[in-house]
Amino acid sequence: MKNQQIAALFNEIASLLEIKGENPFRIRAYQRAAVNIGGLTQDVAAMADEELRSIPGIGPDLVGRIREFLGEERVALHEDLKKEIPAGLLDILRVPGVGPKTVKTLYEKAEVRGLDDLETLIREGNLAGLPGIQRKAEENIRKGIEMLHRGRERNPLGKAMPIADDIVRKLRAKTPLGRIAVAGSIRRWKETVKDIDLLATSARPEKVMKVFTSLPVVREVLEHGTKKTSILTAEGIQVDLRVVAESSFGAALQHFTGSKEHNIKLREMARRIGLKINEYGIFRENDEMRIGGRREGEIYTALGLPFIPPELREDGGEIEAGSEGALPRLLTVEEIRGDLHVHTRWSDGGHDLDVLVQAAKKKGYQYIAITDHSKGLGIAHGLDERRLRDQIALIDETNRTLTGFRILKGVEVDIRGDGTLDLPDGVLGELDIVVASIHSGFRQSREKITARLLSAVRNPLVGVIAHPTGRLLGERDPYDVDMEAVFREAAARGVAMEINAHPARLDLSDHHVRMAKRYRIPLVISTDAHVNGDFDYMEYGVATARRGWAVPGDVLNTLPCSSLLKRLRSGRNREVRSLGRKT
DNA sequence: GCCGTTTTCGGCCCGACTGTTTTCAGTCG
């Protein structure tokens, strides 16, 4: 699938055009096209011209560029731009605080052709003095380069969310606040976030901002105003706090929750019916009459839309679905009835059955599946056949003491390098649920990895593929795998794909969830809990499912225990029957 | 470069903060 490559190409074209000082709307057109192609679940290579045209922001020219890229792996416009503009200028454009105009000045007035040149210029004290650049600007650029070198522009949601919650708690305790909320991509539960957006109301904004800038987590104050103040935390995450009037809180929450693309589309919609939206409210254009803004829902109501859950606000068709009354009724965390991927001290978990059962009951669950590692994972003290049988016996015994709750017998069996499973079918057949996953050979070729997963999916005893792409956010890229092939096979055999809710994984990703839905693949959402507190990660998994437009019916662990077991067994029987006919 | 129940041409979301200006440009979200 070349979608991501095309999206990256269009973004690069946009940046090059920016540096050239081209028509901003042409630039936006390329950026918009990049976002929409990047978010597509279908392969553009498999789409007809008419289908391509139906993608928002793709017109005749861009269809041509897409075709050109698919055919020749390159685009003439892009090649021409690269001849004209040194590639190093794109790096400079990535420096926070440096935009296209500055890049152009640097190139034209100081012959800067890349980051190295720029750093030399600063070291030799020749930056300040260029048009529009004095001492402060030089200092900001220097800091921007430092920030870029530190890298990690985006932070995993699991890291940002607790920091945001902590700051909110402190501000609540120490300042005269009315309301306060976390907005931005955190509120949309995006898997990585660039910064933390906070929104508050207060009669005394100066006081709030003063306390904010002097919180212990603050390493540096980036901007200090009465409406907006930005700081950098010790961890290097930027936090923006905005204080707005009570009457604008809803509009501001809508505005700062984004996404940008979602908001642009809403505003275009508003304009067409004579309305104007900004972060202070929604207004009639002709007489500036305010028609809403205190509550977030008023913005949507004024446009004739239902409330759109933040997780869907990516301009991924949610506005169109809303106007047609076709928004999905998204899954909620309360509908989850159990966790199907849990480790104990038998392998690398931290707790025994009783502690985990307690914690699961406290979450209101009806069941959990114990899925310790198999023997191939020596480092995790994985179970061999004998120990797994011992655990099965222990679970049976424990279940007899429980009422209204059931422990499912399971395993997280390793898919070995050659695609075989790490335990024989005999013992796997004694379990309620077999979860299979890859823990080694991440660098194998696309063909090999795909074949491994396919062979696991084809084993009739396997019910779930866990963390299907193997990624660790910000640490390890997903392995190279043909997910469409895996999804096709899983759909044919009714094998479920896991949304691993651990914030370090979120695997499947939201994007893959949407793709899985297209293939009508059953999903499960599991935390991969290693200690009892990990059960709380379920919220991240459900949010990821919601971002993928999942409804309760898509997710197996919304089922009551008996239905779930029936469902898991039916997969096996169907396969066994068809095998039986052949022989 | 896209797009159209006002338009096939002339629009294209909107505002805050900073720094360098002495009324605004650049950047960001």
Side-chain angles (χ1 to χ4, degrees):
Chain A
M1 189 145 130
K2 301 257 170 69
N3 296 20
Q4 297 309 322
Q5 283 162 266
I6 293 172
L9 176 84
F10 282 180
N11 270 326
E12 196 167 307
I13 290 176
S15 296
L16 291 165
L17 292 173
E18 258 190 312
I19 295 171
K20 266 190 80 178
E22 264 270 6
N23 174 5
F25 298 106
R26 188 178 177 211
I27 293 162
R28 200 185 118 195
Y30 275 99
Q31 288 167 338
R32 180 153 183 250
V35 169
N36 287 331
I37 291 174
L40 216 59
T41 60
Q42 284 133 294
D43 187 351
V44 287
M47 294 169 79
D49 282 4
E50 287 155 41
E51 289 177 278
L52 289 174
R53 283 296 301 275
S54 72
I55 302 170
I58 304 290
D61 283 27
L62 292 180
V63 169
R65 309 259 189 247
I66 293 170
R67 286 273 168 256
E68 188 182 353
F69 183 80
L70 290 173
E72 304 168 30
E73 292 281 316
R74 58 198 283 289
V75 168
L77 169 67
H78 182 234
E79 301 299 322
D80 292 345
L81 286 168
K82 280 199 297 190
K83 268 179 229 151
E84 206 175 332
I85 297 160
L89 295 188
L90 292 171
D91 297 331
I92 300 182
L93 195 57
R94 289 175 51 228
V95 176
V98 176
K101 296 292 189 329
T102 309
V103 171
K104 200 165 185 225
T105 305
L106 290 170
Y107 180 46
E108 288 175 353
K109 305 288 182 197
E111 289 167 21
V112 171
R113 306 171 72 83
L115 264 184
D116 290 348
D117 291 352
L118 181 55
E119 286 176 285
T120 307
L121 203 66
I122 294 173
R123 244 193 334 272
E124 294 172 354
N126 290 328
L127 181 58
L130 292 173
I133 299 173
Q134 294 304 324
R135 276 203 26 245
K136 275 280 194 171
E138 177 182 87
E139 181 59 17
N140 284 340
I141 292 173
R142 200 184 54 72
K143 279 188 195 160
I145 294 174
E146 247 175 54
M147 206 179 283
L148 191 68
H149 282 323
R150 272 202 302 273
R152 293 285 294 274
E153 282 185 68
R154 299 192 72 88
N155 298 280
L157 180 64
K159 179 179 166 194
M161 180 88 78
I163 295 174
D165 290 343
D166 184 53
I167 293 176
V168 166
R169 247 193 321 276
K170 293 208 168 88
L171 288 176
R172 246 195 209 118
K174 294 185 185 172
T175 66
L177 279 183
R179 308 173 65 179
I180 184 161
V182 180
S185 44
I186 295 186
R187 183 158 178 252
R188 303 200 314 278
W189 292 82
K190 207 169 149 69
E191 64 190 30
T192 60
V193 301
K194 187 144 162 275
D195 50 24
I196 296 173
D197 285 297
L198 303 178
L199 198 63
T201 65
S202 172
R204 297 175 57 204
E206 317 79 34
K207 167 82 175 160
V208 175
M209 294 309 196
K210 186 143 185 272
V211 173
F212 177 55
T213 55
S214 48
L215 288 176
V217 296
V218 174
R219 182 169 76 198
E220 192 186 334
V221 178
L222 302 171
E223 277 177 23
H224 193 158
T226 56
K227 293 182 170 167
K228 179 190 176 193
T229 294
S230 302
I231 60 103
L232 204 61
T233 68
E235 299 90 345
I237 302 184
Q238 183 173 331
V239 186
D240 299 341
L241 173 63
R242 291 177 172 84
V243 177
V244 300
E246 193 68 45
S247 58
S248 295
F249 188 79
L253 186 60
Q254 197 289 318
H255 177 88
F256 292 112
T257 296
S259 66
K260 191 168 122 191
E261 290 73 23
H262 175 88
N263 286 353
I264 288 176
K265 188 161 268 186
L266 286 188
R267 284 179 201 167
E268 286 169 350
M269 239 176 120
R271 278 186 79 94
R272 282 200 292 276
I273 54 173
L275 299 175
K276 187 178 84 165
I277 303 172
N278 58 29
E279 59 257 58
Y280 300 107
I282 180 160
F283 305 87
R284 273 207 310 250
E285 219 158 16
N286 53 2
D287 58 1
E288 299 278 297
M289 169 81 175
R290 174 199 184 82
I291 57 173
R294 183 172 292 271
R295 289 181 307 109
E296 188 179 36
E298 292 167 2
I299 306 291
Y300 292 97
T301 306
L303 297 175
L305 291 169
F307 183 83
I308 298 180
E311 293 93 327
L312 294 186
R313 300 182 193 171
E314 301 289 346
D315 190 19
E318 73 282 4
I319 294 172
E320 294 79 356
S323 27
E324 290 159 16
L327 273 182
R329 209 289 277 158
L330 298 179
L331 168 77
T332 65
V333 74
E334 292 76 22
E335 288 165 310
I336 298 293
R337 304 209 193 188
D339 201 323
L340 296 179
H341 188 162
V342 179
H343 295 274
T344 72
R345 279 171 46 168
W346 285 61
S347 64
D348 60 349
H351 289 126
D352 287 322
L353 285 183
D354 53 340
V355 175
L356 294 166
V357 169
Q358 280 282 326
K361 279 184 161 175
K362 212 170 147 195
K363 296 228 74 124
Y365 289 162
Q366 298 177 1
Y367 49 84
I368 52 172
I370 297 301
T371 55
D372 275 309
H373 290 289
S374 62
K375 62 182 191 296
L377 238 59
I379 196 167
H381 197 42
L383 276 59
D384 60 14
E385 210 174 332
R386 190 182 53 80
R387 288 182 67 221
L388 182 53
R389 284 217 165 84
D390 288 347
Q391 192 185 53
I392 289 172
L394 175 68
I395 291 174
D396 281 337
E397 192 182 314
T398 310
N399 269 331
R400 279 194 285 276
T401 70
L402 297 171
T403 50
F405 190 91
R406 177 154 171 184
I407 307 171
L408 304 185
K409 295 164 283 185
V411 72
E412 181 181 10
V413 64
D414 191 46
I415 303 170
R416 290 188 293 218
D418 61 1
T420 59
L421 298 183
D422 193 29
L423 288 167
D425 284 358
V427 69
L428 296 182
E430 295 168 32
L431 297 166
D432 298 313
I433 178 169
V434 174
V435 176
S437 60
I438 286 182
H439 294 98
S440 61
F442 297 108
R443 294 190 188 180
Q444 285 178 342
S445 68
R446 181 179 180 85
E447 291 68 30
K448 264 199 172 155
I449 301 252
T450 306
R452 280 168 84 184
L453 284 170
L454 286 177
S455 113
V457 167
R458 285 176 186 140
N459 184 319
L461 295 169
V462 169
V464 180
I465 301 292
H467 41 77
T469 78
R471 71 169 180 178
L472 291 175
L473 281 168
E475 283 179 48
R476 185 172 74 207
D477 284 338
Y479 35 67
D480 192 9
V481 55
D482 182 353
M483 283 305 274
E484 308 233 22
V486 174
F487 280 0
R488 255 194 310 275
E489 194 69 23
R493 292 169 187 268
V495 172
M497 292 287 142
E498 176 185 88
I499 298 172
N500 191 294
H502 197 292
R505 292 190 182 270
L506 298 181
D507 178 12
L508 302 176
S509 66
D510 48 15
H511 180 258
H512 277 136
V513 171
R514 254 190 121 168
M515 211 165 115
K517 277 201 62 143
R518 240 182 350 100
Y519 282 93
R520 301 178 184 281
I521 294 175
L523 300 167
V524 305
I525 307 176
S526 308
T527 62
D528 205 346
H530 284 71
V531 291
N532 55 2
D534 289 354
F535 284 144
D536 290 341
Y537 291 146
M538 185 56 78
E539 235 185 323
Y540 287 86
V542 169
T544 300
R546 288 167 62 90
R547 286 180 56 83
W549 293 54
V551 301
D554 297 322
V555 177
L556 295 186
N557 49 323
T558 60
L559 294 173
C561 193
S562 54
S563 318
L564 173 71
L565 285 170
K566 203 184 287 176
R567 180 67 193 262
L568 288 167
R569 285 192 205 111
S570 74
R572 294 182 185 184
N573 293 341
R574 195 168 44 236
E575 187 54 30
V576 169
R577 262 205 311 276
S578 74
L579 285 177
R581 266 202 300 274
K582 272 181 213 156
T583 49

